[in-house]
Amino acid sequence: MGRNLQNGERLRPVDLARGHGLSTQAVRNYEEAGILPAADRTPTGYRTYTSLHARALRAFLALVPGHGHQTATSIMRAVNQGEVDEAFRLIDDSHAQLLDDRRTLLAVESALRHLEPTAAPEPDAASGPDASSGPVDRFIGPLAEELGIRPATLRKWERAGLMRPRRDPLTGYRVYDESDVRDARLSHQLRRGGYLLEQIAPLIAQVRSAGGLEPLEAALTDWKGRVSARGRAMLTGAAELEAYLRERG
């Protein structure tokens, strides 16, 4: 490895690092992680890089904003191991997640447009014989699986006041009705956007009362901007990765 398909110029680790605003240790770490192809060594043991390594580094740094550090690392490692189809699968997974985020945002916005004030249920509202027969009622396991989180996370959100599931009168299991599912989806979306539980709780309270929605709308607008930025970053990353694949031949 380490061949330059253009002019044979050899680069020191410091050259590669300075060109991308990194430390030489970061460049060495990227090579050891498989993000960069293996470097050639001089007779005295020093690493030497080429334009191929520079192209790989540009591709990785461009992939990170759209796919995240872990997935970008896996993509580059797969390419460098000759497993290009695996790299494409990882990219497809990221695009699928981004699409799911967009769909969730649209669903939340649609729900807000039709949101009406609802009274909180009485403590014994679940005691009737048909209490758990609603069309979207869920137990904790299926709801957690649907959201891609652990049941313990839903219990933590409940303790933070983000949702208020009732208890099945026969089994004692938590039952999440339509409003709980809505609150869980919204909480999940905001958590993905980087919001803390203490920031989400008042927004959920606003949704429940259907009043003062400006904070929620601002949060969703901010997250929509992040989703759009991620989509554009994926385009940039794809262009740099394609350039790297072409140079690898």
Side-chain angles (χ1 to χ4, degrees):
M1 287 303 296
R3 59 195 177 95
N4 187 338
L5 303 184
Q6 294 182 350
N7 57 23
E9 178 187 2
R10 296 289 167 168
L11 303 171
R12 299 170 299 168
V14 68
D15 298 324
L16 198 58
R18 287 174 179 169
H20 297 84
L22 302 170
S23 67
T24 54
Q25 185 59 52
V27 171
R28 288 191 289 267
N29 290 344
Y30 288 159
E31 182 191 344
E32 291 171 1
I35 293 167
L36 305 181
D40 285 339
R41 298 277 184 156
T42 67
T44 54
Y46 290 104
R47 289 176 172 87
T48 62
Y49 297 106
T50 69
S51 68
L52 184 66
H53 296 89
R55 179 66 74 181
L57 187 54
R58 283 196 295 273
F60 171 71
L61 295 176
L63 288 167
V64 169
H67 299 273
H69 193 282
Q70 181 176 350
T71 298
T73 297
S74 297
I75 291 169
M76 294 302 297
R77 187 182 292 130
V79 169
N80 291 329
Q81 292 173 348
E83 300 172 356
V84 178
D85 285 341
E86 172 62 12
F88 292 160
R89 185 194 67 77
L90 292 166
I91 292 170
D92 289 344
D93 284 347
S94 282
H95 280 283
Q97 182 63 68
L98 183 64
L99 179 60
D100 184 63
D101 287 351
R102 289 187 185 280
R103 286 172 171 166
T104 302
L105 275 170
L106 291 173
V108 170
E109 290 173 339
S110 176
L112 291 179
R113 283 195 297 270
H114 301 92
L115 196 62
E116 297 180 356
T118 56
E122 295 298 325
D124 61 348
S127 59
D130 298 324
S132 60
S133 62
V136 296
D137 286 356
R138 312 247 204 315
F139 289 115
I140 191 169
L143 179 57
E145 182 178 359
E146 180 179 324
L147 295 175
I149 59 178
R150 296 178 302 164
T153 300
L154 284 173
R155 289 191 288 269
K156 181 178 180 180
W157 292 356
E158 180 184 344
R159 290 193 297 270
L162 305 188
M163 59 202 67
R164 299 177 296 190
R166 66 178 183 271
R167 295 282 184 161
D168 184 278
L170 298 179
T171 65
Y173 293 158
R174 291 172 173 83
V175 179
Y176 297 82
D177 63 16
E178 182 176 3
S179 63
D180 295 316
V181 173
R182 176 205 63 203
D183 294 346
R185 288 182 178 278
L186 181 54
S187 298
H188 185 47
Q189 186 66 33
L190 292 170
R191 286 293 289 146
R192 289 181 60 83
Y195 289 87
L196 303 176
L197 295 183
E198 54 266 32
Q199 294 173 312
I200 297 173
L203 301 180
I204 296 296
Q206 294 287 0
V207 173
R208 290 188 185 129
S209 63
L213 293 176
E214 290 80 4
L216 177 61
E217 292 172 350
L220 291 177
T221 298
D222 176 65
W223 181 235
K224 184 186 294 184
R226 297 187 192 193
V227 168
S228 296
R230 186 181 173 202
R232 187 164 186 173
M234 284 182 174
L235 294 177
T236 302
E240 290 291 350
L241 181 62
E242 170 61 19
Y244 177 53
L245 290 171
R246 285 199 309 268
E247 188 159 341
R248 280 178 58 88

